[in-house]
Amino acid sequence: MQLQREKSLLLMVDFQAGLLPVIEGGQEAVTEAAWLGEMACLLEVPVWLTEQNPEKLGGTAPSLLAALNDYLLWQKQHFSVMAEAEFESALKASGKTQIVLCGTEAHICVLQTGLGLLAAGYELYWLSEASASRRPQEATMARERACASGAVTVTADMVAYEWLHRCDTAQFKEAHQRFLKPRSSRPVRFF
């Protein structure tokens, strides 16, 4: 399975300001999600966000919203956004079949959403470095369970390069200048 941007949708689950302070690696997850969200916007891949009970947990982290120039926001009460009838209908109507998934908490809302997406027949790509929980071992277990159910683990770089597909386009050149530079102390290799 290889990602194709015309079939893809980036789904970011519950990166909420009231929840993030207690999430181990939460800020790093937001940073990676924001980076891929900017790339998605450049490449016209839809970005959808969810918020779980925002009256209690607050809205989406301002730093994430600032990185995105186009997104659709869904509020939910179910842990799995797939249990929200309006969301499920809109996703089906979008025609997107490849869902890149990330968020918090990985072992609750992200996992339940992922399992719902898999059950509905979508290809699921678990964005590992942008999925976090209060306890890291629960995020790891969530990823393992999702993958055992049919998801594929990916990194932001993997997704970006699959969406870009080739290096001789104007989109690649713009992406390279704007986004494809090291985001942290870890090196990024370009070929």
Side-chain angles (χ1 to χ4, degrees), residues 82-152:
M82 287 298 287
E84 305 285 348
E86 190 176 318
F87 177 90
E88 187 175 16
S89 296
L91 183 57
K92 186 174 183 178
S94 77
K96 303 301 182 182
T97 57
Q98 298 180 328
I99 311 302
V100 178
L101 179 67
C102 62
T104 63
E105 285 198 68
H107 68 292
I108 303 172
C109 294
V110 182
L111 178 61
Q112 289 186 36
T113 294
L115 294 174
L117 288 162
L118 288 166
Y122 292 93
E123 291 177 32
L124 182 64
Y125 297 83
W126 184 279
L127 188 56
S128 187
E129 76 254 79
S131 297
S133 292
R134 294 170 200 240
R135 293 184 295 268
Q137 68 271 23
E138 288 184 311
T140 299
M141 291 176 71
R143 183 187 68 235
E144 290 170 357
R145 183 171 171 200
C147 290
S149 299
V152 176

Side-chain angles (χ1 to χ4, degrees), residues 4-163:
Q4 299 172 40
R5 69 174 174 242
E6 58 277 354
K7 294 181 179 181
S8 294
L9 183 142
L10 176 57
L11 179 56
M12 300 182 183
V13 175
D14 305 349
F15 282 116
Q16 290 170 257
L19 182 60
L20 286 169
V22 299
I23 300 295
E24 180 75 26
Q27 192 51 55
E28 294 83 359
V30 169
T31 298
E32 287 297 315
W35 182 87
L36 189 59
E38 286 182 278
M39 179 68 72
C41 291
L42 172 70
L43 299 175
E44 299 178 354
V45 172
V47 178
W48 290 9
L49 308 171
T50 70
E51 292 177 347
Q52 177 77 30
N53 194 13
E55 295 78 27
K56 303 272 188 198
L57 296 175
T60 300
S63 63
L64 179 56
L65 293 177
L68 305 173
N69 62 18
D70 189 24
Y71 59 88
L72 190 58
L73 179 64
W74 299 89
Q75 294 184 346
K76 63 187 180 73
Q77 295 299 316
H78 293 92
F79 297 122
S80 170
V81 73
M82 287 298 287
E84 305 285 348
E86 190 176 318
F87 177 90
E88 187 175 16
S89 296
L91 183 57
K92 186 174 183 178
S94 77
K96 303 301 182 182
T97 57
Q98 298 180 328
I99 311 302
V100 178
L101 179 67
C102 62
T104 63
E105 285 198 68
H107 68 292
I108 303 172
C109 294
V110 182
L111 178 61
Q112 289 186 36
T113 294
L115 294 174
L117 288 162
L118 288 166
Y122 292 93
E123 291 177 32
L124 182 64
Y125 297 83
W126 184 279
L127 188 56
S128 187
E129 76 254 79
S131 297
S133 292
R134 294 170 200 240
R135 293 184 295 268
Q137 68 271 23
E138 288 184 311
T140 299
M141 291 176 71
R143 183 187 68 235
E144 290 170 357
R145 183 171 171 200
C147 290
S149 299
V152 176
T153 301
V154 293
T155 67
D157 285 347
M158 288 178 182
V159 173
Y161 280 93
E162 287 181 36
W163 284 345

